[in-house]
């Protein structure tokens, strides 16, 4: 009669031997470590989205930024609307609303773009690149974040306009916001270029000067027809004037300002190329 322990030991040995020689059919002998690592590595699209969300959250929680980009254009709309809003049977109020919405979006776009300089100065941008964020994802994320932060200014001015007597249908109202939002793309790129090319506080100062110049020469504060001819010629060559014209077209109809589409497209293309050329230097990838 065999001892139970010996029998159990013999059984265990047989099982180990069996397991080493012929693995069960329901067990797959493949390593999951590489797959796990591959699944853990975020894609470029995921990195871009995360960077855009992070930058957007940082910007919209900046109280001074939001006050400046919303309160000022709303206040200017109320002032100009009170002074000139009743002209043209009240249509002037709608044009002022479009111009001030474009001005608010312009300020948010340029300021958001120049924030890149702060990230570059503190080394945060360099850390992102070392951590795996590609320059292309950085640029795309910056454009997405700036595109998001201009929306509150557009909506705030437009809602105040509706509340104070601007007469526009729902479809025209939504179309106007979309047209202004899309038309502001070159101003976003202007802010990003300034943030990458200028250093330190110069970037912010350059952004303010650029924003003021584009608002004045674009006729956002006062009708361009009130200015000398040379100023009108400059205004016709910059995107802000045509952003205003496209916004008024979407609200009140008329002939589509095709020249405006060409001017905005040319600025967007040129600034996109300039962003690409400035990108490697901005993220510290140039050879020293």
């Amino acid at each position: 009669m065999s001892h139970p322990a010996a029998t159990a030991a013999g059984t265990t040995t047989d099982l180990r031997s069996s397991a080493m020689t012929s693995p069960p059919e329901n067990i797959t002998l493949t390593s999951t470590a590489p797959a796990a690592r591959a699944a853990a590595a975020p894609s470029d699209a995921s990195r871009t989205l995360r960077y855009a969300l992070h930058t957007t959250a940082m910007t919209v929680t900046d109280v001074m930024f939001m006050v400046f980009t919303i309160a000022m254009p709303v206040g200017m709309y109320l002032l100009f609307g009170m002074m000139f809003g009743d002209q043209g049977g009240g249509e002037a109020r709608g044009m002022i609303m479009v111009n001030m919405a474009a001005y608010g979006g312009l300020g948010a776009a340029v300021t958001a773009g120049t924030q890149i300089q702060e990230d570059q100065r503190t080394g945060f941008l360099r850390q992102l690149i070392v951590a795996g964020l590609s320059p292309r994802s950085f640029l795309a994320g910056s454009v997405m974040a700036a595109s998001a932060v201009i929306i509150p200014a557009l909506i705030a001015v437009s809602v105040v306009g509706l509340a104070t007597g601007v007469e526009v249908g729902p479809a025209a109202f939504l179309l106007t916001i979309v047209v202004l939002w899309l038309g502001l793309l070159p101003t976003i790129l202007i802010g990003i270029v300034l943030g990458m090319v200028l250093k330190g506080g110069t970037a912010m100062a350059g952004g303010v000067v650029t924003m003021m110049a584009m608002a004045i020469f674009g006729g956002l504060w006062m009708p361009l027809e009130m200015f000398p001819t040379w100023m009108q010629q400059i205004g016709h060559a910059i995107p802000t004037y045509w952003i205003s014209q496209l916004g008024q077209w979407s609200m009140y109809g008329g002939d589509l300002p095709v020249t405006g589409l060409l001017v905005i497209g040319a600025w967007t293309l040129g600034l996109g190329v300039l962003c690409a050329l400035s990108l490697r230097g901005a993220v510290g990838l140039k050879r020293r």
Side-chain angles (χ1 to χ4, degrees), residues 3 44 52 58 103 134 149 167 183 272:
H3 193 279
D44 284 346
M58 293 292 292
Y103 172 61
S134 68
V149 300
E167 297 181 355

Side-chain angles (χ1 to χ4, degrees), residues 19-107:
M20 293 176 64
T21 55
S22 58
E25 294 181 0
N26 60 343
I27 296 177
T28 303
L29 297 179
T30 57
S31 174
T32 59
R37 285 196 295 270
S43 62
D44 284 346
S46 177
R47 292 178 188 275
T48 302
L49 183 59
R50 289 181 183 180
Y51 175 70
L53 292 175
H54 169 78
T55 304
T56 302
M58 293 292 292
T59 305
V60 298
T61 54
D62 186 337
V63 177
M64 292 306 297
F65 174 84
M66 298 306 295
V67 169
F68 180 77
T69 57
I70 293 178
M72 180 170 287
V74 168
M76 293 180 70
Y77 161 75
L78 293 174
L79 175 63
F80 291 144
M82 182 175 59
M83 295 172 61
F84 311 109
D86 293 334
Q87 296 182 9
E91 191 171 291
R93 192 182 304 280
M95 294 181 179
I96 294 171
M97 184 194 80
V98 168
N99 286 355
M100 290 304 106
Y103 172 61
L106 167 67

Side-chain angles (χ1 to χ4, degrees), residues 123-166:
F124 179 62
L125 177 56
R126 181 64 178 173
Q127 292 179 12
L128 292 175
I129 297 300
V130 172
L133 182 72
S134 68
R136 182 183 304 174
S137 295
F138 158 71
L139 180 59
S142 298
V143 173
M144 292 170 63
S147 299
V149 300
I150 65 179
I151 294 176
L154 296 179
I155 293 180
V157 175
S158 301
V159 169
V160 173
L162 290 180
T164 54
V166 174

Side-chain angles (χ1 to χ4, degrees), residues 127-220:
Q127 292 179 12
L128 292 175
I129 297 300
V130 172
L133 182 72
S134 68
R136 182 183 304 174
S137 295
F138 158 71
L139 180 59
S142 298
V143 173
M144 292 170 63
S147 299
V149 300
I150 65 179
I151 294 176
L154 296 179
I155 293 180
V157 175
S158 301
V159 169
V160 173
L162 290 180
T164 54
V166 174
E167 297 181 355
V168 57
F173 177 78
L174 293 175
L175 178 61
T176 301
I177 292 180
V178 172
V179 166
L180 293 176
W181 182 63
L182 294 174
L184 286 166
L185 178 57
T187 66
I188 293 173
L189 298 178
I190 288 174
I192 292 175
V193 169
L194 291 175
M196 291 194 295
V197 174
L198 301 180
K199 303 299 181 185
T202 308
M204 186 61 68
V208 173
V209 172
T210 301
M211 178 185 65
M212 301 284 281
M214 296 192 72
I216 295 172
F217 284 94
L220 299 185

Side-chain angles (χ1 to χ4, degrees), residues 113-125 195 200-201 203-204:
T114 56
Q115 292 294 324
I116 292 174
Q117 176 54 218
E118 182 66 15
D119 291 342
Q120 187 180 19
R121 185 186 65 80
T122 60
F124 179 62
L125 177 56
M204 186 61 68

